[in-house]
Amino acid sequence: SVIEMVNQILAPLDYPIAAIAQQHLRSKGVNLLLGTSVAGFEKSGEQLTVLLKDKPSVEADVVILSIGVRPDTRLAFAAGLQLGSAKGIYVNEYLQTSDPDIYAVGDAIEFANPISGASMNTYLAGPANKQGRICANNIVLGNVQKYGGAINTAIVKVFDMTVGVTGMASKHLKLAGIDHLVSTTHSGSHAGYYPGAEQMSIQITFSPSDGRLLGAQVAGYTGADKRLDVLAAVIRSKGTVYDLAEFEHAYAPPFSSAKDPVNMAGFVADNILTGKLKVVHFENIGTLGDNSLLVDVRNVDEYAQATM
């Protein structure tokens, strides 16, 4: 059983992509309890009972608490270093703290997000290691290299599925007050006529004014990590959905399609920006009104698999 207080797992993701991972978990026999919280624990012999706030209790042999992390800045604070608005150690673009003789890197520092500009922590090993090299250069050579911040590219394996995120999700862009559009596409991991192709879902967020790519999420199997890295590179370079449409990938039927899933994401976003395609997201279906007609285009087998 997985117990989660909010209505989805994988908090960095938007709900539609998280829902794909949730369905995969359920298909593997995981009891997913969303929108509830743990009220307490009781022990009877070697057995544990997990008491829930508004659902029946769960029996368990082992309980793992996975309730988030926060930076441990006690030493920095005691040393008189400045903390930022996100309660991390404040550093400048050279990773220098408020004491010019002290530098800091890793999970405990905070830095401006390259997309939103808001100060934030990044709990990822990749950025921390890159910061370490930049910091060493600056200590030895005298502030010669600037750090540009992290776009929080992260990936996880959920049983057979790969799920990843980079940049800013739609829900986080809304909180930051950043105007954006959303496109979701479902493509094959490689050419459909070559055996073994699997569905890959890509959701991107982008600026309605110039098409700048702001965020991306991928849920799939083989090749999902490759597409996430491409999307992260475009975001990092302040590229646009038009760059996705024109991205030149390595193509052969076992590895991709002539129009890669990354290209398809760019094509659909381009169609939305130019008005060729009007999109209604799932959360807005209830607002369409009585004059709208919702057509389910799934075939019988697809309907049976995805309807409960």
Side-chain angles (χ1 to χ4, degrees), residues 188-197 222-223 226-227 248-261 263:
S189 57
H190 60 248
Y193 56 81
Y194 188 90
T222 303
K226 176 172 72 172
R227 274 58 177 222
E248 185 176 345
H249 59 288
Y251 164 61
F255 305 103
S256 182
S257 299
K259 292 181 289 190
D260 188 79
N263 298 136

Coordinates of all heavy atoms in Angstrom, one line a residue, residues 188-197 222-223 226-227 248-261 263:
G188 N 4.4 6.3 -30.2 CA 5.1 5.1 -30.1 C 6.6 5.3 -29.8 O 7.1 6.3 -30.3
S189 N 7.2 4.4 -29.0 CA 8.6 4.6 -28.7 C 9.5 4.4 -29.9 O 10.6 5.0 -29.9 CB 9.0 3.6 -27.6 OG 8.7 2.3 -28.0
H190 N 9.0 3.7 -30.9 CA 9.7 3.6 -32.2 C 8.7 3.3 -33.2 O 7.5 3.2 -32.9 CB 10.9 2.6 -32.1 CG 10.5 1.2 -31.8 ND1 10.8 0.5 -30.7 CD2 9.7 0.2 -32.5 CE1 10.4 -0.7 -30.6 NE2 9.7 -0.9 -31.8
A191 N 9.1 3.1 -34.5 CA 8.2 2.8 -35.6 C 7.2 1.7 -35.3 O 7.6 0.6 -34.8 CB 9.0 2.5 -36.8
G192 N 5.9 2.0 -35.5 CA 4.9 1.0 -35.2 C 5.0 -0.3 -35.9 O 4.5 -1.4 -35.3
Y193 N 5.5 -0.3 -37.1 CA 5.6 -1.6 -37.8 C 6.8 -2.4 -37.4 O 6.9 -3.6 -37.9 CB 5.7 -1.3 -39.4 CG 6.8 -0.4 -39.8 CD1 8.1 -0.9 -39.9 CD2 6.6 1.0 -40.0 CE1 9.2 0.0 -40.3 CE2 7.6 1.8 -40.4 CZ 8.9 1.3 -40.5 OH 9.9 2.1 -40.9
Y194 N 7.7 -1.9 -36.5 CA 8.8 -2.7 -36.0 C 8.3 -3.2 -34.6 O 7.8 -2.5 -33.8 CB 10.0 -1.8 -35.9 CG 11.3 -2.6 -35.5 CD1 12.1 -3.1 -36.5 CD2 11.6 -2.8 -34.2 CE1 13.2 -3.9 -36.2 CE2 12.7 -3.6 -33.9 CZ 13.5 -4.1 -34.9 OH 14.7 -4.8 -34.6
P195 N 8.5 -4.5 -34.4 CA 8.0 -5.1 -33.2 C 8.5 -4.4 -31.9 O 9.6 -4.0 -31.8 CB 8.5 -6.6 -33.2 CG 8.8 -6.8 -34.7 CD 9.2 -5.5 -35.2
G196 N 7.6 -4.4 -30.9 CA 8.0 -3.9 -29.6 C 7.8 -2.5 -29.3 O 8.2 -2.0 -28.2
A197 N 7.1 -1.7 -30.1 CA 6.8 -0.3 -29.9 C 5.9 -0.2 -28.7 O 4.9 -1.0 -28.6 CB 6.3 0.4 -31.1
T222 N 10.8 2.0 -23.0 CA 12.1 2.2 -23.7 C 12.2 3.6 -24.3 O 11.3 4.0 -25.1 CB 12.3 1.1 -24.7 OG1 12.2 -0.2 -24.1 CG2 13.6 1.2 -25.4
G223 N 13.3 4.3 -24.1 CA 13.5 5.5 -24.8 C 12.9 6.7 -24.1 O 13.1 7.9 -24.6
K226 N 15.7 9.1 -23.0 CA 16.3 9.8 -24.1 C 15.5 11.1 -24.5 O 16.1 12.2 -24.7 CB 16.5 8.9 -25.3 CG 17.0 9.6 -26.5 CD 17.3 8.6 -27.6 CE 16.1 8.0 -28.3 NZ 16.4 7.2 -29.5
R227 N 14.2 10.9 -24.5 CA 13.4 12.1 -24.9 C 13.4 13.1 -23.8 O 13.4 14.3 -24.1 CB 11.9 11.6 -25.2 CG 11.7 11.1 -26.6 CD 12.5 10.0 -27.0 NE 12.2 9.5 -28.3 CZ 12.1 8.2 -28.6 NH1 12.4 7.2 -27.7 NH2 11.9 7.8 -29.8
E248 N 16.5 17.2 -35.0 CA 17.0 16.1 -35.9 C 17.5 15.0 -35.0 O 18.6 15.2 -34.3 CB 18.1 16.7 -36.8 CG 18.6 15.6 -37.8 CD 19.6 16.2 -38.8 OE1 19.7 17.5 -38.8 OE2 20.3 15.4 -39.4
H249 N 16.8 13.9 -35.0 CA 17.2 12.8 -34.1 C 17.8 11.6 -35.0 O 17.6 11.6 -36.2 CB 15.9 12.3 -33.4 CG 14.8 11.9 -34.3 ND1 14.1 12.7 -35.1 CD2 14.4 10.6 -34.7 CE1 13.2 12.1 -35.8 NE2 13.3 10.8 -35.6
A250 N 18.4 10.7 -34.2 CA 18.9 9.5 -34.9 C 17.7 8.6 -35.2 O 17.0 8.1 -34.3 CB 19.9 8.8 -34.0
Y251 N 17.5 8.3 -36.5 CA 16.3 7.5 -36.8 C 16.6 6.2 -37.5 O 17.4 6.2 -38.5 CB 15.3 8.3 -37.7 CG 14.3 7.4 -38.4 CD1 13.4 6.7 -37.6 CD2 14.3 7.3 -39.8 CE1 12.5 5.8 -38.3 CE2 13.4 6.4 -40.4 CZ 12.5 5.7 -39.6 OH 11.6 4.8 -40.2
A252 N 16.1 5.1 -37.0 CA 16.0 3.8 -37.6 C 14.8 3.2 -36.9 O 14.6 3.5 -35.7 CB 17.3 3.0 -37.5
P253 N 14.0 2.3 -37.6 CA 12.8 1.8 -37.0 C 12.9 1.2 -35.6 O 12.0 1.3 -34.8 CB 12.4 0.8 -38.0 CG 12.9 1.3 -39.3 CD 14.2 1.9 -39.0
P254 N 14.0 0.5 -35.2 CA 14.1 0.0 -33.9 C 14.2 1.1 -32.8 O 14.0 0.8 -31.6 CB 15.4 -0.9 -33.9 CG 15.7 -1.1 -35.3 CD 15.2 0.1 -36.0
F255 N 14.6 2.3 -33.2 CA 14.9 3.3 -32.2 C 13.9 4.5 -32.1 O 13.8 5.1 -31.1 CB 16.3 3.9 -32.5 CG 17.4 2.8 -32.5 CD1 17.9 2.4 -33.8 CD2 17.9 2.2 -31.4 CE1 18.9 1.4 -33.8 CE2 18.8 1.2 -31.5 CZ 19.4 0.8 -32.7
S256 N 13.3 4.8 -33.2 CA 12.4 5.9 -33.3 C 11.5 5.8 -34.5 O 11.4 4.8 -35.1 CB 13.2 7.2 -33.4 OG 12.4 8.3 -33.4
S257 N 10.8 6.9 -34.7 CA 10.0 7.0 -36.0 C 10.5 8.2 -36.8 O 11.3 9.0 -36.2 CB 8.5 7.3 -35.7 OG 7.9 6.2 -34.9
A258 N 10.2 8.3 -38.0 CA 10.7 9.4 -38.8 C 10.2 10.7 -38.2 O 10.9 11.7 -38.3 CB 10.1 9.3 -40.2
K259 N 9.1 10.7 -37.5 CA 8.6 11.8 -36.7 C 8.7 11.4 -35.3 O 7.8 10.7 -34.8 CB 7.2 12.3 -37.1 CG 7.2 12.9 -38.5 CD 5.8 13.4 -38.9 CE 4.9 12.2 -39.2 NZ 3.6 12.7 -39.7
D260 N 9.8 11.7 -34.6 CA 10.0 11.3 -33.2 C 8.9 11.8 -32.3 O 8.3 12.9 -32.6 CB 11.4 11.7 -32.8 CG 11.8 11.2 -31.5 OD1 12.2 10.0 -31.4 OD2 11.7 11.9 -30.4
P261 N 8.7 11.2 -31.1 CA 7.8 11.7 -30.1 C 8.1 13.2 -29.8 O 7.2 14.0 -29.5 CB 7.9 10.8 -28.9 CG 8.3 9.5 -29.6 CD 9.1 9.8 -30.7
N263 N 9.4 15.4 -31.8 CA 8.9 16.2 -33.0 C 7.4 16.3 -32.9 O 6.8 17.4 -33.1 CB 9.2 15.5 -34.3 CG 10.7 15.4 -34.6 OD1 11.2 14.4 -35.0 ND2 11.5 16.4 -34.3

